Amino acid sequence: MGTLATYRQVVQEVLTAYYQETAGAMAGVERQLVLDPTRDHYLLMTVGWEQNHRVDGCVLHLDIKDGQIWIQHDGTERGIANDLLERGIPKADIVLAFHAPYKRPFTGFGVGRDQAEPQAA
Amino acid sequence: MGTLATYRQVVQEVLTAYYQETAGAMAGVERQLVLDPTRDHYLLMTVGWEQNHRVDGCVLHLDIKDGQIWIQHDGTERGIANDLLERGIPKADIVLAFHAPYKRPFTGFGVGRDQAEPQAA
C-alpha cells in the first residue's frame, strides 16, 4: 500500500490531467475541477447549457477511504482506473465502487466495505 | 456587495449546516460534503446503495463567481437560497443558475452571465 500523501497526489494529478484534456470540449458547458483533500473527495463536474437544455452532472467522482481509492462514478470512455494503474496504484487499492460489494471480488480490483452491503439476489 | 471572504464563509456554513442536519437520513447512503475554496466550488453529494440500487448524485452545488453566489443545483425542499438570504446575502448577489439567463430577470434574484446564453424561443 502506498502512502496517503502519494495517493492524494496521484488522484489530483489524474483528475487535473483529464480536466485539462477535456476542458472546452463542449461550447457553453463549463467543466469544473473540485478538489477537497481535507475530506478526500475529488470530482469533475459539467455545468451550463446546451442550447436550451440544462447540463449539470458529475463526470468523475473519486474518494480516498481506508487507504484505498474509490471510484464512485466514472463517466469517461477510457476508464479512469487505467490512469491510476499507469501511475503505479496497485489493483487491490482501487475499488470500483459503482459495482455492488458482492460483485467486486470478480473485478480483479479491490473489495472495500460500504455502509450498506447489497447481497446477490 | 459583501467581501469574497464573507461569501466563502457563508456558503461553507450553509452547506455544512445542511449536511449535519441531513447526514444519516438514509441508511446505507453516505452524504459527502465537498468544499473547494481554492476553485470556489461547494457541493453536497450522496453516494451508496439503497437495497440493490446505486445512489450517486448531487444534492447541492454552489459556486462563487464574479462576486456572486451561483446556485447551480438545488435538490433541497426548502430552497437553499432562503438560507443565504437569512444570513444576509442580498438577492442581487444570488444567481439561480438552474434558470436560463433570459428567465433570471423575472426571479427577483441576480442575473449573471453564462458561457452559453440560451435565448427565449
Side-chain angles (χ1 to χ4, degrees):
Chain A
M1 198 178 91
T3 64
L4 183 56
T6 308
Y7 281 19
R8 277 188 179 137
Q9 198 188 324
V10 168
V11 166
Q12 293 184 75
E13 279 173 8
V14 161
L15 254 79
T16 303
Y18 190 81
Y19 165 74
Q20 286 168 342
E21 231 176 81
T22 57
M26 285 165 76
V29 177
E30 186 189 343
R31 292 251 164 172
Q32 297 183 341
L33 190 62
V34 190
L35 306 177
D36 184 347
T38 306
R39 292 163 199 80
D40 275 324
H41 304 310
Y42 307 90
L43 293 101
L44 185 65
M45 303 292 289
T46 44
V47 67
W49 299 88
E50 254 195 320
Q51 308 288 342
N52 286 324
H53 296 282
R54 178 69 176 161
V55 176
D56 174 22
C58 171
V59 181
L60 281 167
H61 179 175
L62 278 71
D63 293 330
I64 302 175
K65 197 157 78 167
D66 309 324
Q68 290 178 307
I69 299 172
W70 288 54
I71 303 177
Q72 300 284 11
H73 179 79
D74 183 358
T76 70
E77 251 179 79
R78 68 169 175 248
I80 206 76
N82 293 312
D83 297 51
L84 297 172
L85 293 171
E86 271 170 25
R87 297 199 188 216
I89 310 288
K91 268 190 150 183
D93 283 354
I94 302 173
V95 178
L96 305 181
F98 47 83
H99 286 310
Y102 70 87
K103 286 185 184 164
R104 290 187 202 144
F106 310 107
T107 62
F109 284 87
V111 180
R113 281 274 160 251
D114 297 52
Q115 286 184 281
E117 300 188 358
Q119 302 301 313
Chain B
M1 198 177 91
T3 64
L4 184 56
T6 308
Y7 282 19
R8 278 190 179 135
Q9 198 189 323
V10 168
V11 166
Q12 293 184 75
E13 278 174 8
V14 161
L15 254 79
T16 304
Y18 190 80
Y19 165 74
Q20 285 167 343
E21 230 175 83
T22 57
M26 286 165 76
V29 177
E30 187 189 341
R31 292 250 164 173
Q32 297 183 342
L33 190 61
V34 191
L35 306 177
D36 183 348
T38 306
R39 291 164 199 80
D40 275 324
H41 304 308
Y42 307 90
L43 293 101
L44 185 65
M45 304 291 291
T46 44
V47 67
W49 299 89
E50 253 195 321
Q51 309 289 342
N52 287 325
H53 296 282
R54 178 69 175 161
V55 175
D56 175 23
C58 171
V59 181
L60 281 167
H61 179 174
L62 278 72
D63 294 329
I64 301 175
K65 198 158 78 170
D66 308 325
Q68 290 176 307
I69 299 173
W70 288 54
I71 304 176
Q72 300 285 9
H73 179 80
D74 183 356
T76 71
E77 250 179 79
R78 69 169 174 247
I80 206 77
N82 293 313
D83 297 50
L84 296 172
L85 293 172
E86 271 171 27
R87 295 198 190 218
I89 309 287
K91 266 190 153 185
D93 283 354
I94 301 172
V95 178
L96 306 182
F98 47 83
H99 286 310
Y102 71 86
K103 286 185 185 163
R104 289 187 203 143
F106 311 106
T107 61
F109 284 87
V111 181
R113 282 276 160 249
D114 297 53
Q115 286 184 280
E117 300 189 358
Q119 302 302 315

